[in-house]
């Protein structure tokens, strides 16, 4: 075999080929080395703070100075343009869409106003604007709406915070949901800042400090996206009803054991349980949770920028980011995945409407029975069935992602809801006949939000005018107080000392 020297001597052009090939290889190797060094430098800079953050720093823009990538994606929660078939990032008037809700919540503030929520950035603004906060409410309502809450809890004490009236605490609450709610300001590790979740897990014998990072990527969401109630007539202590478990039946058993009633229905006198938003509980009953997926995996998927891998803080529906949220695991096309989700949601929506229609009739029939002289003894088993049926319907309706998170469980619960409300209606039919009433009864026309609200006696123009006065006179005072507090924080921050109290 001839040596390279002999080959080149015989074919000089081959020498030039080897020469230029060597130059190209060296150049590419240098480029690769430079890129690696640059990416490593970027990665090392990710946790280098511009200025230290105080323990309870509520301002998201201050965190953003240290973590610009996360902040820039977070403020995209301002975007309200995305619409899916059943949700999205914009406000949707749910009472307009489903007038039956007005009747189901007759006697409760939700019958005045109920919208699909916008992004986290709007949390405080939307809370101030809703007509639901015009009835006496405790400060507990603020718990999941603002990064100011941990600061204020630290200032006043947790039980004392809950006891304040909603409007008494308004000047303290200004910053929307954000960085401080889920992160330790020194290490950026995920942390729980709301005590209700820690307390609920402790009652189950669980230590949240032993949670894995993957578990924490759901538990930080479970601080708020859960079922809860305000315990105690005066204390209004935020409590998760998880002592018997997190299924719809287990939480119902808990509520029954403590005699909890959210409101007595205006028409049927049913002692109703109003579900809040049991998103985490329903998610835990689905296949994605069973496979170890976290909330953040789909709602805040990882993304890369240069050499830095970070979490996308544009918290949103995965349907607006299927490529990063779904196709990390699934190989089907975006169109196919969207079709799969929509098909499940369509079936759950069909059952939800059936459950609502049956419940609305049950409330009217119970009202008629009372009007015709039914006794407490005759009505007690009927009202208990309506309570159980409405709790099951609301559990699914209020857990906004049930049609995707756990469609089989959601269908089972709605099936039980329909069964129980129809059992109530069969009993009511017999009772009404006994009372001399011809069945079916004549149901009123509540086919629109306006007709339904008028039927239950809500004076909506007056309520809207009162809210307008509140927004124009009280809220500006709260905002002025917040600005003064922020100016003081800014002075401390510029001096490098952070906000102290």
């Amino acid at each position: 075999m001839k040596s390279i020297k002999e080959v080149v001597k015989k074919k000089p052009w081959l020498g030039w080929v080897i020469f230029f090939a060597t130059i190209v290889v060296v150049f590419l190797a240098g480029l690769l080395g430079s890129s690696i060094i640059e990416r490593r430098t970027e990665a090392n800079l990710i946790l280098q703070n511009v200025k230290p953050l105080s323990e309870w720093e509520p301002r998201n823009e201050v965190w953003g100075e240290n973590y610009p990538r996360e902040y820039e994606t977070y403020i995209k929660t301002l975007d309200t343009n995305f619409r899916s078939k059943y949700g999205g990032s914009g406000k949707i008037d749910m009472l307009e869409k489903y007038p039956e809700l007005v009747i189901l919540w007759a006697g409760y503030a939700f019958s005045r106003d109920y919208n699909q929520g916008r992004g986290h950035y709007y949390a405080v603004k939307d809370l101030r604007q809703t007509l639901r906060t015009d009835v006496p409410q405790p400060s507990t309502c603020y718990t999941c709406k603002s990064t100011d809450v941990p600061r204020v809890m630290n200032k006043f004490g947790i039980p004392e915070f809950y006891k304040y009236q909603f409007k008494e605490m308004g000047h303290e609450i200004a910053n929307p949901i954000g960085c401080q709610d889920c992160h330790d300001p020194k290490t950026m590790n995920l942390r729980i800042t709301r005590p209700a979740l820690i307390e609920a897990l402790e009652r189950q014998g669980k230590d949240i400090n032993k949670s894995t990072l993957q578990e924490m990527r759901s538990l930080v969401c479970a601080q708020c996206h859960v079922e809860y109630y305000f315990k105690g007539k005066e204390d209004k202590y935020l409590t998760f009803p998880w002592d018997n478990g997190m299924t719809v039946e287990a939480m119902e058993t808990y509520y029954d054991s403590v005699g909890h009633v959210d409101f007595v229905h205006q028409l049927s006198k049913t002692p109703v349980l109003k579900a809040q938003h049991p998103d985490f509980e329903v998610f835990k009953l689905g296949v994605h949770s069973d496979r170890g997926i976290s909330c953040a995996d789909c709602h805040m998927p990882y993304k890369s920028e240069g050499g830095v891998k970070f979490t996308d803080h544009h918290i949103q529906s995965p349907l607006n980011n299927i490529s990063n949220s779904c196709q990390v695991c699934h190989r089907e096309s975006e169109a196919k995945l969207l079709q799969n989700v929509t098909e499940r949601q369509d079936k759950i929506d069909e059952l939800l409407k059936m459950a609502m229609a049956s419940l609305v009739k049950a409330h009217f029939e119970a009202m008629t029975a009372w009007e015709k002289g039914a006794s407490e003894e005759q009505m007690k088993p009927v009202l208990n069935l309506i309570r159980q049926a409405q709790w099951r319907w609301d559990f699914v309706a209020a857990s906004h992602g049930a049609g995707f998170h756990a469609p089989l469980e959601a269908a089972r619960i709605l099936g039980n809801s329909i069964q129980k409300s129809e059992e109530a209606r069969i009993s009511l039919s017999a009772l009404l006949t006994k009372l001399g009433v011809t069945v079916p009864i004549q149901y009123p026309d509540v086919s629109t939000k306006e007709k339904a609200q008028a039927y239950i006696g809500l004076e909506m123009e007056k309520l809207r005018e009162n809210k307008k006065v509140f927004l124009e006179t009280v809220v500006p005072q709260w905002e002025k107080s917040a600005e003064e507090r922020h100016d003081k924080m800014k002075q401390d921050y510029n001096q490098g000392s952070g906000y102290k109290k």
Side-chain angles (χ1 to χ4, degrees), residues 448-464:
T448 67
K449 170 185 170 182
E450 291 73 22
K451 289 179 179 178
Q453 288 178 327
Y455 180 82
I456 64 173
L458 288 175
E459 299 180 64
M460 294 309 300
E461 286 303 318
K462 183 178 179 181
L463 294 176
R464 281 191 277 268

Side-chain angles (χ1 to χ4, degrees), residues 191-205:
R191 71 170 178 179
I192 305 302
T193 55
R194 304 305 195 272
L197 174 63
I198 298 171
E199 293 162 357
L201 293 178
E202 283 178 347
R203 291 197 300 276
Q204 293 180 333

Side-chain angles (χ1 to χ4, degrees), residues 226-258:
V226 291
E227 169 61 19
Y228 61 83
Y229 77 113
F230 300 164
K231 187 177 184 180
K233 189 173 181 181
E234 302 296 331
D235 293 341
K236 302 297 182 184
Y237 200 96
L238 185 64
T239 304
F240 297 175
W242 292 356
D243 292 14
N244 301 316
M246 291 194 287
T247 65
V248 67
E249 290 87 359
M251 285 190 263
E252 181 183 56
T253 299
Y254 173 88
Y255 280 138
D256 288 344
S257 71
V258 298

Side-chain angles (χ1 to χ4, degrees), residues 12 77 115 150 196 248 268 343-344 347 358 411 496:
T77 61
N115 300 312
V248 67
S268 69
E343 285 176 350
R344 287 161 174 76
K347 290 177 172 59
S358 181

Side-chain angles (χ1 to χ4, degrees), residues 455-493:
Y455 180 82
I456 64 173
L458 288 175
E459 299 180 64
M460 294 309 300
E461 286 303 318
K462 183 178 179 181
L463 294 176
R464 281 191 277 268
E465 180 59 30
N466 290 342
K467 174 60 72 174
K468 182 172 181 287
V469 172
F470 165 76
L471 293 172
E472 291 177 349
T473 58
V474 177
V475 170
Q477 297 176 33
W478 292 355
E479 291 177 342
K480 183 181 179 184
S481 178
E483 287 176 8
E484 291 172 355
R485 184 172 61 252
H486 290 165
D487 287 343
K488 176 66 170 60
M489 290 179 181
K490 189 175 182 180
Q491 289 177 11
D492 293 341
Y493 183 67

Side-chain angles (χ1 to χ4, degrees), residues 85-98:
K85 185 171 183 179
Y86 293 102
S89 58
K91 184 183 288 186
I92 298 176
D93 186 337
M94 300 301 284
L95 301 184
E96 189 76 44
K97 187 174 182 180
Y98 302 109

